[in-house]
Amino acid sequence: MIFTAAPFIKNIGESKLRHKCSLEFANLALSGKKIGMITPEILELTSEIVLEATTHGISEIVKLCLKNFPELMWDKKFAKKLIQEVINGRQVELFRLANTHLSDGSLTKKGLMKAVIKWTPRCASPDVSGAAFLMQRELQWYKVVEDRSEPSLKSLKLPHHPLTKAQEHKTCWEAFVEQREDLLKDAGQWMKDTSSSCSVVATLIITVAFAAAFTVPGGNDGSTGMPIFLKKGSFMTFAIADALALFSSVTATSMFLAILTSRYTIEDFLYALPGKMIPGLTFLFLSLGFMLVAFGSALTMVLNERLKWIYIPINLLVALPIVLFAMLQLPLYFEMVISTFRPRLYRPKKLWK
């Protein structure tokens, strides 16, 4: 019944089943080939399979080959080719796997630094959304290779190409920056546009929250000047939510202004700019929520005397835009938080679970 109403669910199930059966078949085939083979034959048979799977980013096949033929992890020539192909294709999962189980000697070659410097269309990973995240990922790749290289490679000067006009040799970092000038412009423009749009929304919330603080629902007593609904519990909810909305929106505006006035150097996209964008988005989300809570409590105070049940639909309507905003923006927010404070590139990956 479910499959008839939603055919895509059936297609997803069939796709997962085919994927599982393919992995089991590959595991059986590799296990069968392992019997009676010596190490040179193993290297000749599986090295090309692993490298081809690495080129296409098929981490499951690579994992099966390394699991069934651990001899591959000790062959320095194969390990060097594998790591270079992983870096050329910016395969994060495969790098985590190789970085955990291959020897450290394969991670300290000059070719790895040249591989991470080179910018090709393959570097634009489909799991990265936006130029700013892509620039951050590229910086993470450079840093992780730099940290695992000899100190001499950090100041290595690359020979200039004979067809270029550059006469002086460039360091690895200078070549890295030069090849990503267009990406840097796109990333800076994304940051500016996002900060500008968010700062406009935060400014509107500041205006509304500030005005609501001096025009309380029900008005003030003519003789004492105190709010008429002061003794109601919903009034305290309104006052606290309005104050928190004002303070949160002011903080968010400050963070977005700090982004707009930044230098936008390439190093800023690693921690500095995302470190300002994350709290800015956090306080913007909080200010929206507090503003809606203040609106709901104010409306409840006004209509509660006439309609006792009015708080139920009001609370439901208040929750609707909050949930909608969370569904639309939280995926981008979580991606930024994880990419900045706990990037997958630095996390090890176990071969055997």
Side-chain angles (χ1 to χ4, degrees):
M1 183 66 181
I2 298 177
F3 292 157
T4 304
F8 71 92
I9 298 179
K10 181 180 179 181
N11 295 334
I12 293 174
E14 292 177 350
S15 177
K16 288 186 176 181
L17 180 61
R18 288 194 299 267
H19 180 74
K20 182 179 180 180
C21 293
S22 300
L23 291 180
E24 291 180 355
F25 176 77
N27 190 25
L28 291 174
L30 291 173
S31 300
K33 289 287 185 181
K34 184 179 180 180
I35 301 175
M37 294 182 64
I38 59 177
T39 301
E41 293 176 343
I42 291 174
L43 295 176
E44 182 180 359
L45 173 67
T46 58
S47 60
E48 294 299 327
I49 297 176
V50 174
L51 292 176
E52 185 68 20
T54 302
T55 303
H56 294 86
I58 308 175
S59 59
E60 294 89 348
I61 298 298
V62 177
K63 187 175 181 180
L64 283 176
C65 290
L66 296 180
K67 181 179 180 180
N68 286 280
F69 304 101
E71 298 89 345
L72 291 170
M73 295 185 290
W74 301 105
D75 183 65
K76 292 184 178 180
K77 184 178 180 181
F78 166 78
K80 180 180 178 180
K81 290 182 179 179
L82 176 62
I83 288 293
Q84 287 183 344
E85 186 61 34
V86 166
I87 295 178
N88 284 330
R90 302 298 193 266
Q91 306 291 344
V92 176
E93 296 300 323
L94 291 177
F95 180 81
R96 292 171 57 198
L97 183 66
N99 188 30
T100 306
H101 298 283
L102 295 182
S103 60
D104 292 338
S106 60
L107 295 173
T108 58
K109 302 298 183 180
K110 185 186 298 185
L112 299 184
M113 183 64 73
K114 293 182 179 179
V116 80
I117 290 173
K118 186 178 180 181
W119 172 255
T120 63
R122 292 180 62 191
C123 299
S125 303
D127 63 331
V128 179
S129 55
F133 294 104
L134 185 57
M135 175 60 74
Q136 185 184 48
R137 178 69 63 83
E138 285 295 298
L139 288 168
Q140 291 171 351
W141 275 108
Y142 182 87
K143 294 297 182 182
V144 77
V145 173
E146 183 187 53
D147 293 341
R148 286 161 174 77
S149 301
E150 296 92 344
S152 59
L153 288 182
K154 296 182 179 181
S155 58
L156 174 70
K157 288 186 176 293
L158 302 175
H160 66 272
H161 196 277
L163 298 180
T164 61
K165 298 180 180 180
Q167 299 297 324
E168 297 182 358
H169 294 248
K170 296 182 180 296
T171 63
C172 294
W173 175 251
E174 291 172 345
F176 178 86
V177 175
E178 183 181 19
Q179 294 197 28
R180 287 158 181 80
E181 291 180 350
D182 294 336
L183 179 61
L184 179 60
K185 293 179 182 178
D186 295 339
Q189 191 62 42
W190 185 91
M191 277 286 181
K192 290 179 182 178
D193 293 343
T194 305
S195 301
S196 299
S197 302
C198 292
S199 61
V200 170
V201 176
T203 304
L204 292 175
I205 296 175
I206 292 174
T207 305
V208 173
F210 187 83
F214 295 97
T215 56
V216 295
N220 299 325
D221 191 305
S223 58
T224 62
M226 301 296 293
I228 295 176
F229 294 144
L230 181 61
K231 295 182 179 181
K232 289 193 173 184
S234 54
F235 181 85
M236 293 304 299
T237 303
F238 163 80
I240 294 173
D242 186 71
L244 291 176
L246 179 62
F247 297 147
S248 299
S249 56
V250 169
T251 305
T253 304
S254 301
M255 300 305 299
F256 294 131
L257 288 177
I259 295 175
L260 292 172
T261 56
S262 298
R263 299 175 302 165
Y264 291 96
T265 59
I266 190 170
E267 298 96 331
D268 293 340
F269 287 90
L270 186 60
Y271 292 115
L273 290 174
K276 296 173 184 176
M277 179 67 73
I278 290 170
L281 291 176
T282 301
F283 284 108
L284 178 61
F285 178 75
L286 291 175
S287 63
L288 285 171
F290 289 135
M291 182 188 68
L292 290 172
V293 171
F295 170 79
S297 59
L299 200 58
T300 301
M301 279 189 293
V302 174
L303 300 178
N304 190 44
E305 293 295 333
R306 183 180 179 90
L307 303 171
K308 297 293 184 182
W309 48 266
I310 195 63
Y311 68 94
I312 297 177
I314 288 177
N315 291 332
L316 293 176
L317 292 176
V318 166
L320 180 62
I322 297 177
V323 173
L324 181 62
F325 182 84
M327 292 175 59
L328 295 176
Q329 301 299 329
L330 284 186
L332 178 66
Y333 176 81
F334 286 136
E335 180 181 355
M336 185 177 295
V337 172
I338 293 173
S339 179
T340 303
F341 299 111
R342 198 170 183 267
R344 292 185 298 130
L345 192 60
Y346 295 93
R347 284 179 265 164
K349 188 178 181 67
K350 295 182 179 180
L351 183 60
W352 296 275
K353 295 183 179 180

PDB file of all heavy atoms in Angstrom, residues 154-165:
ATOM      1  N   LYS A 154      57.267  23.263   3.991  1.00  0.00           N
ATOM      2  CA  LYS A 154      56.406  24.416   4.270  1.00  0.00           C
ATOM      3  C   LYS A 154      56.922  25.675   3.574  1.00  0.00           C
ATOM      4  O   LYS A 154      56.147  26.566   3.247  1.00  0.00           O
ATOM      5  CB  LYS A 154      56.299  24.626   5.770  1.00  0.00           C
ATOM      6  CG  LYS A 154      55.626  23.450   6.485  1.00  0.00           C
ATOM      7  CD  LYS A 154      55.494  23.691   7.969  1.00  0.00           C
ATOM      8  CE  LYS A 154      54.808  22.513   8.646  1.00  0.00           C
ATOM      9  NZ  LYS A 154      54.643  22.722  10.101  1.00  0.00           N
ATOM     10  N   SER A 155      58.236  25.741   3.387  1.00  0.00           N
ATOM     11  CA  SER A 155      58.829  26.895   2.692  1.00  0.00           C
ATOM     12  C   SER A 155      59.380  26.500   1.335  1.00  0.00           C
ATOM     13  O   SER A 155      60.226  27.203   0.778  1.00  0.00           O
ATOM     14  CB  SER A 155      59.945  27.504   3.553  1.00  0.00           C
ATOM     15  OG  SER A 155      60.929  26.530   3.841  1.00  0.00           O
ATOM     16  N   LEU A 156      58.900  25.370   0.805  1.00  0.00           N
ATOM     17  CA  LEU A 156      59.379  24.885  -0.487  1.00  0.00           C
ATOM     18  C   LEU A 156      58.999  25.857  -1.587  1.00  0.00           C
ATOM     19  O   LEU A 156      57.872  26.337  -1.662  1.00  0.00           O
ATOM     20  CB  LEU A 156      58.771  23.510  -0.770  1.00  0.00           C
ATOM     21  CG  LEU A 156      59.053  22.899  -2.141  1.00  0.00           C
ATOM     22  CD1 LEU A 156      60.516  22.499  -2.259  1.00  0.00           C
ATOM     23  CD2 LEU A 156      58.155  21.688  -2.382  1.00  0.00           C
ATOM     24  N   LYS A 157      59.946  26.130  -2.470  1.00  0.00           N
ATOM     25  CA  LYS A 157      59.686  26.983  -3.625  1.00  0.00           C
ATOM     26  C   LYS A 157      59.501  26.100  -4.849  1.00  0.00           C
ATOM     27  O   LYS A 157      60.364  25.288  -5.188  1.00  0.00           O
ATOM     28  CB  LYS A 157      60.837  27.969  -3.854  1.00  0.00           C
ATOM     29  CG  LYS A 157      60.885  29.080  -2.812  1.00  0.00           C
ATOM     30  CD  LYS A 157      61.939  30.103  -3.167  1.00  0.00           C
ATOM     31  CE  LYS A 157      61.921  31.255  -2.170  1.00  0.00           C
ATOM     32  NZ  LYS A 157      60.691  32.047  -2.261  1.00  0.00           N
ATOM     33  N   LEU A 158      58.367  26.252  -5.500  1.00  0.00           N
ATOM     34  CA  LEU A 158      58.053  25.454  -6.665  1.00  0.00           C
ATOM     35  C   LEU A 158      58.649  26.100  -7.910  1.00  0.00           C
ATOM     36  O   LEU A 158      58.623  27.321  -8.057  1.00  0.00           O
ATOM     37  CB  LEU A 158      56.537  25.319  -6.829  1.00  0.00           C
ATOM     38  CG  LEU A 158      55.810  24.692  -5.633  1.00  0.00           C
ATOM     39  CD1 LEU A 158      54.304  24.745  -5.883  1.00  0.00           C
ATOM     40  CD2 LEU A 158      56.258  23.266  -5.422  1.00  0.00           C
ATOM     41  N   PRO A 159      59.149  25.312  -8.851  1.00  0.00           N
ATOM     42  CA  PRO A 159      59.667  25.884 -10.100  1.00  0.00           C
ATOM     43  C   PRO A 159      58.537  26.430 -10.938  1.00  0.00           C
ATOM     44  O   PRO A 159      57.473  25.815 -11.052  1.00  0.00           O
ATOM     45  CB  PRO A 159      60.343  24.684 -10.778  1.00  0.00           C
ATOM     46  CG  PRO A 159      59.678  23.484 -10.194  1.00  0.00           C
ATOM     47  CD  PRO A 159      59.306  23.849  -8.784  1.00  0.00           C
ATOM     48  N   HIS A 160      58.753  27.621 -11.520  1.00  0.00           N
ATOM     49  CA  HIS A 160      57.691  28.230 -12.311  1.00  0.00           C
ATOM     50  C   HIS A 160      57.568  27.520 -13.642  1.00  0.00           C
ATOM     51  O   HIS A 160      58.514  26.944 -14.175  1.00  0.00           O
ATOM     52  CB  HIS A 160      57.980  29.720 -12.534  1.00  0.00           C
ATOM     53  CG  HIS A 160      59.191  29.971 -13.377  1.00  0.00           C
ATOM     54  ND1 HIS A 160      60.462  30.062 -12.844  1.00  0.00           N
ATOM     55  CD2 HIS A 160      59.326  30.140 -14.715  1.00  0.00           C
ATOM     56  CE1 HIS A 160      61.333  30.280 -13.816  1.00  0.00           C
ATOM     57  NE2 HIS A 160      60.660  30.328 -14.960  1.00  0.00           N
ATOM     58  N   HIS A 161      56.363  27.562 -14.177  1.00  0.00           N
ATOM     59  CA  HIS A 161      56.090  26.922 -15.454  1.00  0.00           C
ATOM     60  C   HIS A 161      56.728  27.732 -16.571  1.00  0.00           C
ATOM     61  O   HIS A 161      56.683  28.959 -16.570  1.00  0.00           O
ATOM     62  CB  HIS A 161      54.570  26.822 -15.672  1.00  0.00           C
ATOM     63  CG  HIS A 161      54.193  25.865 -16.751  1.00  0.00           C
ATOM     64  ND1 HIS A 161      54.199  26.220 -18.080  1.00  0.00           N
ATOM     65  CD2 HIS A 161      53.831  24.563 -16.696  1.00  0.00           C
ATOM     66  CE1 HIS A 161      53.817  25.172 -18.801  1.00  0.00           C
ATOM     67  NE2 HIS A 161      53.592  24.153 -17.995  1.00  0.00           N
ATOM     68  N   PRO A 162      57.331  27.072 -17.559  1.00  0.00           N
ATOM     69  CA  PRO A 162      58.008  27.829 -18.611  1.00  0.00           C
ATOM     70  C   PRO A 162      57.091  28.703 -19.442  1.00  0.00           C
ATOM     71  O   PRO A 162      57.544  29.653 -20.074  1.00  0.00           O
ATOM     72  CB  PRO A 162      58.640  26.715 -19.481  1.00  0.00           C
ATOM     73  CG  PRO A 162      57.886  25.468 -19.144  1.00  0.00           C
ATOM     74  CD  PRO A 162      57.479  25.619 -17.715  1.00  0.00           C
ATOM     75  N   LEU A 163      55.793  28.424 -19.453  1.00  0.00           N
ATOM     76  CA  LEU A 163      54.862  29.212 -20.259  1.00  0.00           C
ATOM     77  C   LEU A 163      54.298  30.406 -19.503  1.00  0.00           C
ATOM     78  O   LEU A 163      53.611  31.235 -20.084  1.00  0.00           O
ATOM     79  CB  LEU A 163      53.702  28.323 -20.748  1.00  0.00           C
ATOM     80  CG  LEU A 163      54.115  27.156 -21.663  1.00  0.00           C
ATOM     81  CD1 LEU A 163      52.878  26.365 -22.073  1.00  0.00           C
ATOM     82  CD2 LEU A 163      54.863  27.645 -22.896  1.00  0.00           C
ATOM     83  N   THR A 164      54.565  30.477 -18.207  1.00  0.00           N
ATOM     84  CA  THR A 164      54.047  31.588 -17.427  1.00  0.00           C
ATOM     85  C   THR A 164      55.010  32.757 -17.454  1.00  0.00           C
ATOM     86  O   THR A 164      56.173  32.625 -17.808  1.00  0.00           O
ATOM     87  CB  THR A 164      53.824  31.157 -15.968  1.00  0.00           C
ATOM     88  OG1 THR A 164      55.079  30.743 -15.410  1.00  0.00           O
ATOM     89  CG2 THR A 164      52.843  29.989 -15.893  1.00  0.00           C
ATOM     90  N   LYS A 165      54.494  33.918 -17.077  1.00  0.00           N
ATOM     91  CA  LYS A 165      55.307  35.123 -17.080  1.00  0.00           C
ATOM     92  C   LYS A 165      56.077  35.305 -15.774  1.00  0.00           C
ATOM     93  O   LYS A 165      56.922  36.189 -15.670  1.00  0.00           O
ATOM     94  CB  LYS A 165      54.414  36.351 -17.321  1.00  0.00           C
ATOM     95  CG  LYS A 165      53.715  36.325 -18.678  1.00  0.00           C
ATOM     96  CD  LYS A 165      52.854  37.564 -18.849  1.00  0.00           C
ATOM     97  CE  LYS A 165      52.143  37.535 -20.205  1.00  0.00           C
ATOM     98  NZ  LYS A 165      51.289  38.740 -20.390  1.00  0.00           N
TER      99      LYS A 165
END
